[in-house]
Amino acid sequence: MNVELLKFVWIFLPQLLPRPIYELGVMAVAFLGVMVFMVLMVLFMVWFERKVIGHIQVRRGPLHTGRHGWAQSIADTIKLFLKEDIIPRGVDRPVYILAPLVVFVSTVVVYVVIPFSDKLVARDINMGILFVFAIGSVATIGIFMAGWGSNNKYSLLGAMRAAAQIVSYEVPLLLSVLGVLMLAQTLSLHGIVEAQKHVWYVFLQPLGFAIYVIAGIGEVNRLPFDIPEAESELVAGFHTEYSGLRFAFFFLSEYANMFVISAMATVLFLGGWHGPILPGFFWFVGKAFFFMFFMVWLRGTFPRLRVDQMMSFCWKVLLPLAFLNLLVTGLVMAVLN
Amino acid sequence: MAELETERLFINMGPQHPSTHGVLRLGLTIEGERVVEVLPDVGFLHRGIEKLAEKRTYVQFIPLTDRLDYLAGMSNNLAFVLAVESLLEVEIPRRASYIRVIVAELSRLASHLVWLGSFANDLGAATPLLYCFREREDILDAFEVLCGARMTFNYVRFGGVARDATPEFVGKCRALLGTFDKRVDEYEELLTNNIIFVNRTKGVGVLSREDAISYAASGPMLRGSAIKWDLRKDAPYLVYPEMDFVIPTGTVGDVWDRYTVRITEMRQAARIIRQALDGLPEGDSRAKLPRVLKPAKGEAYSRIEGPKGELGFYVISDGTTNPYRVKIRAPSFINLAAISAMTEGALIADIVAILGSIDIVLGEVDR
């Protein structure tokens, strides 16, 4: 009976309900699903990062709260929710308040097009990859709003660094992806994964993958590129003045963004949900988490670059390499065709 | 092309740095990321330790020296005690001299470890900090066995040391030395062989030979600037002449040179401790001295090669139980003065690296 009811809802409801209302309903369900996944993923990621870093750094702390420290992330979340909401007197209030939301929303929206498996995708649009990069770059505005609106010199410096960094690293990042798009002949994320059924693009585009990894880490401000918030230089950069839940939004976005970059790496280079035995979803999440592990590992190993070194590395090394990758891909494809 | 005009900004490189937690303020005038001027502002600790010395007996002052450079308390004990001993004209037993060398070099290791960890942390690498503290913990454990304290030791006394070195202490020292070189290899793998670290330190914060001399810099700061000057060799004290070790020097005097000098010094200090443990003679650990010390009228200046540089105590005696005047030559304070010379044209991130490379302890800066 229940199955019948479900079938009815699945097949006939779209036809009975007015189109806009049905679409809104679908989006609401998708949004809810994305939010639940994201929050759980971030909670897990915080725990995961703490554990990995804890092992790298021979720390004892990450083992204390709960068995093997599992309760620590939950305790931290509750603490963040309970913290007093402080808004300094001199800030530009609307800009200051809106900034974390802009960053957060731009991150969440990207999740809508991520294909977690063959069927599990909130919206498979035919220009998925363009959507991801277009929406993802809106976060820069949010970060700059935070730095500007905070009325604090450290925040401003951090925000200027962040804007320069994200805008710069986006160029090689996009160029590194172009090779994949040329091979797959589609902009749809679903299509790109399908095209890797037999061979992952990491084997056909190793240089592109390397550039993607470096530029991607630069894009999410992780070590060795965590220059916008460099705590030994700028206190905490653009989010110096934020506390409690407002800070939590930045924090959540950072981890959510890490997952986006990892998920995109999975989609573009690591064959997405393809894999033997296990359901596609597990393969997808597993590959993405392996990539995130890599980022955590880097954090435990590397010092921070200097801002000018980071910029010259982007423009003088990554960018020419990305063009080279594009050129070689084009030439090889022309010859093979 | 016309130069882009930028507005100058004044920011405080204030409490965010581990060694500047409210006691050192660096006023930076910046143009974008470029630093135009650096002005260190010190004097927030208000300790008055030199004045306190006049109100205490000689022995009572030893514990206060621990609080100066609290990362190398033993060295501070030693420098003060040597000054007073030269006023007392007392000869110390050979065993005490060896033990003093061991604790002084262990102090050097402990101090350099904290420096290395916090310096790497300044550059954004948190892992070496935890590793360095792991090794420092072993050293503090050994000190705890030796004198019961982990930070403020009050161990080096007039005529020798407070307590004799037990076999347990020797065992702990040997155990920590057994793994120490491998651990230093580990740091080098994380930092020396890391291209980012090399780029952050090479050619940054150069202190020329001439500037190093004119600022009276000492210790790894001076040796980093290619000047081979180490009091353990050039004005020997204790049993250092009997030890076989080399003095490392840098070439240009940048942050990288100061880093490599300290890393090599750590290996050399471990070598000295091994030799001292092997040659530790039997006998008394303290000379017989009267219960109440009253050095004859006069003055003495005694200096040692502390972890941070030349640590000197100038003591004037008026023949009473209390020193008439004590003046401390603290290497941190003098080395810090050279920061303006090293930061010309630097970026904000360089300031952190340069300040970290000086290795200051504010307890010593604000006496």
Side-chain angles (χ1 to χ4, degrees):
Chain A
M1 178 63 197
N2 279 344
V3 177
E4 290 299 311
L5 187 70
L6 269 176
K7 265 187 189 166
F8 172 80
V9 170
W10 191 253
I11 297 164
F12 293 109
L13 210 59
Q15 291 164 19
L16 294 176
L17 284 172
R19 183 100 185 136
I21 292 179
Y22 171 72
E23 285 293 327
L24 272 177
V26 169
M27 285 312 289
V29 172
F31 181 73
L32 204 71
V34 163
M35 281 301 290
V36 169
F37 174 79
M38 205 176 85
V39 170
L40 287 178
M41 188 274 301
V42 170
L43 273 179
F44 177 77
M45 191 55 211
V46 172
W47 174 82
F48 178 72
E49 175 157 30
R50 197 172 259 148
K51 294 295 293 182
V52 174
I53 286 276
H55 280 289
I56 292 175
Q57 299 182 340
V58 288
R59 280 173 194 258
R60 290 178 189 175
L63 293 175
H64 274 278
T65 319
R67 193 172 171 78
H68 272 269
W70 68 269
Q72 190 60 51
S73 312
I74 296 167
D76 283 347
T77 313
I78 295 168
K79 187 187 81 178
L80 272 176
F81 272 92
L82 295 177
K83 273 198 164 183
E84 187 189 354
D85 177 30
I86 300 166
I87 301 180
R89 198 182 298 137
V91 300
D92 188 337
R93 269 184 92 91
V95 179
Y96 178 86
I97 290 168
L98 271 176
L101 291 177
V102 172
V103 175
F104 183 68
V105 169
S106 72
T107 311
V108 177
V109 173
V110 173
Y111 275 68
V112 171
V113 294
I114 295 176
F116 287 94
S117 79
D118 195 13
K119 297 277 184 301
L120 196 63
V121 51
R123 264 287 184 268
D124 178 31
I125 55 176
N126 57 6
M127 294 196 303
I129 190 75
L130 206 63
F131 179 84
V132 169
F133 286 109
I135 297 292
S137 50
V138 174
T140 320
I141 299 170
I143 288 177
F144 202 78
M145 282 168 72
W148 187 263
S150 289
N151 192 18
N152 173 327
K153 291 168 185 171
Y154 304 105
S155 304
L156 181 64
L157 274 168
M160 288 196 296
R161 283 176 169 194
Q165 176 176 337
I166 298 174
V167 170
S168 304
Y169 273 78
E170 213 142 80
V171 182
L173 187 75
L174 266 170
L175 286 175
S176 71
V177 171
L178 283 186
V180 168
L181 302 184
M182 284 161 76
L183 291 178
Q185 303 275 317
T186 173
L187 292 178
S188 152
L189 297 178
H190 193 276
I192 293 168
V193 177
E194 274 302 314
Q196 297 175 70
K197 203 166 189 170
H198 302 297
V199 57
W200 296 359
Y201 284 153
V202 64
F203 301 113
L204 303 179
Q205 289 277 312
L207 181 61
F209 181 64
I211 297 166
Y212 178 88
V213 171
I214 299 170
I217 294 169
E219 189 73 5
V220 291
N221 304 336
R222 295 276 304 181
L223 261 164
F225 302 107
D226 70 334
I227 291 151
E229 59 167 283
E231 79 288 339
S232 57
E233 301 153 32
L234 298 180
V235 192
F238 65 88
H239 57 63
T240 301
E241 296 294 352
Y242 285 88
S243 63
L245 208 55
R246 284 180 216 283
F247 168 75
F249 273 108
F250 283 117
F251 193 68
L252 199 67
S253 305
E254 186 183 320
Y255 280 86
N257 241 331
M258 268 171 78
F259 185 80
V260 169
I261 287 291
S262 309
M264 282 301 118
T266 311
V267 167
L268 297 166
F269 296 97
L270 304 175
W273 60 78
H274 291 305
I277 307 165
L278 288 172
F281 175 78
F282 290 102
W283 276 107
F284 187 90
V285 174
K287 286 173 191 175
F289 265 94
F290 177 75
F291 198 83
M292 283 164 77
F293 164 76
F294 179 70
M295 288 200 238
V296 175
W297 182 14
L298 282 189
R299 187 184 160 188
T301 318
F302 276 11
R304 183 181 302 121
L305 271 165
R306 209 172 57 195
V307 68
D308 62 317
Q309 292 168 344
M310 177 201 65
M311 295 304 258
S312 61
F313 180 69
C314 175
W315 294 108
K316 292 178 187 165
V317 181
L318 284 186
L319 196 66
L321 281 178
F323 276 122
L324 180 74
N325 182 52
L326 213 57
L327 186 75
V328 172
T329 310
L331 281 176
V332 171
M333 282 179 73
V335 170
L336 290 181
N337 283 341
Chain B
M1 206 169 79
E3 277 282 308
L4 189 67
E5 261 189 49
T6 49
E7 202 178 313
R8 286 195 174 181
L9 206 65
F10 180 85
I11 62 166
N12 286 311
M13 183 72 80
Q16 70 267 43
H17 185 273
S19 71
T20 61
H21 45 85
V23 286
L24 168 68
R25 189 172 70 91
L26 290 182
L28 306 187
T29 309
I30 55 171
E31 267 178 11
E33 288 276 346
R34 187 80 46 197
V35 177
V36 184
E37 196 179 20
V38 179
L39 287 174
D41 184 5
V42 298
F44 299 98
L45 227 49
H46 307 297
R47 304 180 102 187
I49 278 193
E50 289 169 357
K51 190 70 190 167
L52 289 173
E54 297 166 18
K55 303 291 171 196
R56 279 162 173 72
T57 65
Y58 287 93
V59 178
Q60 283 172 339
F61 184 62
I62 298 176
L64 292 190
T65 62
D66 284 318
R67 273 88 175 159
L68 284 162
D69 175 0
Y70 40 80
L71 300 174
M74 290 286 192
S75 303
N76 292 275
N77 286 174
L78 179 63
F80 174 64
V81 165
L82 285 177
V84 178
E85 278 173 354
S86 71
L87 280 173
L88 290 167
E89 291 174 355
V90 58
E91 189 149 329
I92 65 160
R94 225 175 127 64
R95 184 174 173 85
S97 199
Y98 266 80
I99 296 172
R100 283 179 177 187
V101 166
I102 294 168
V103 296
E105 293 307 310
L106 280 174
S107 277
R108 190 182 315 281
L109 286 185
S111 170
H112 279 6
L113 282 170
V114 173
W115 162 79
L116 179 63
S118 52
F119 173 64
N121 198 38
D122 290 344
L123 299 181
T127 306
L129 178 76
L130 278 297
Y131 287 6
C132 288
F133 270 77
R134 174 187 61 187
E135 272 72 86
R136 183 171 180 264
E137 206 61 20
D138 291 340
I139 297 173
L140 298 191
D141 284 347
F143 280 151
E144 197 175 359
V145 168
L146 186 67
C147 62
R150 297 171 64 82
M151 195 140 158
T152 47
F153 309 106
N154 185 20
Y155 177 68
V156 184
R157 299 286 177 80
F158 306 124
V161 291
R163 287 190 223 169
D164 197 3
T166 58
E168 193 189 348
F169 168 73
V170 174
K172 277 203 177 280
C173 287
R174 286 199 191 280
L176 76 92
L177 290 175
T179 53
F180 191 76
D181 284 339
K182 270 190 214 136
R183 297 280 163 86
V184 180
D185 291 343
E186 212 170 86
Y187 312 145
E188 293 228 59
E189 207 167 302
L190 273 172
L191 300 171
T192 315
N193 300 330
N194 186 306
I195 183 77
I196 297 175
F197 180 79
V198 175
N199 284 336
R200 287 290 310 269
T201 53
K202 271 205 174 154
V204 172
V206 175
L207 183 69
S208 67
R209 252 180 98 88
E210 296 71 33
D211 278 350
I213 295 169
S214 69
Y215 277 101
S218 58
M221 281 271 290
L222 184 72
R223 291 191 283 277
S225 299
I227 297 168
K228 202 168 187 172
W229 176 257
D230 190 307
L231 293 173
R232 292 173 296 175
K233 289 269 191 200
D234 298 302
Y237 52 96
L238 300 176
V239 285
Y240 278 111
E242 296 171 27
M243 304 292 163
D244 180 27
F245 62 101
V246 291
I247 305 297
T249 52
T251 48
V252 291
D254 53 6
V255 173
W256 171 259
D257 278 341
R258 293 191 274 281
Y259 162 78
T260 49
V261 162
R262 287 197 185 95
I263 287 280
T264 317
E265 275 188 17
M266 278 160 63
R267 293 187 192 277
Q268 292 301 319
R271 200 173 146 199
I272 296 171
I273 301 167
R274 268 188 216 105
Q275 292 172 47
L277 287 172
D278 291 342
L280 188 65
E282 292 298 320
D284 288 337
S285 61
R286 201 165 170 185
K288 291 265 182 289
L289 282 175
R291 192 164 280 270
V292 180
L293 290 177
K294 278 188 185 175
K297 267 189 182 179
E299 55 189 53
Y301 177 70
S302 195
R303 55 187 183 166
I304 66 161
E305 189 64 43
K308 295 169 179 66
E310 179 179 328
L311 174 63
F313 277 77
Y314 176 57
V315 184
I316 301 178
S317 163
D318 57 359
T320 63
T321 53
N322 295 7
Y324 175 77
R325 176 83 175 94
V326 172
K327 170 78 179 81
I328 305 159
R329 190 238 187 245
S332 288
F333 179 72
I334 293 162
N335 290 346
L336 180 64
I339 192 163
S340 302
M342 292 189 284
T343 48
E344 271 171 37
L347 292 155
I348 297 173
D350 289 335
I351 301 293
V352 185
I354 295 167
L355 184 63
S357 77
I358 300 175
D359 186 18
I360 49 167
V361 157
L362 268 297
E364 201 173 63
V365 174
D366 292 349
R367 295 179 308 282

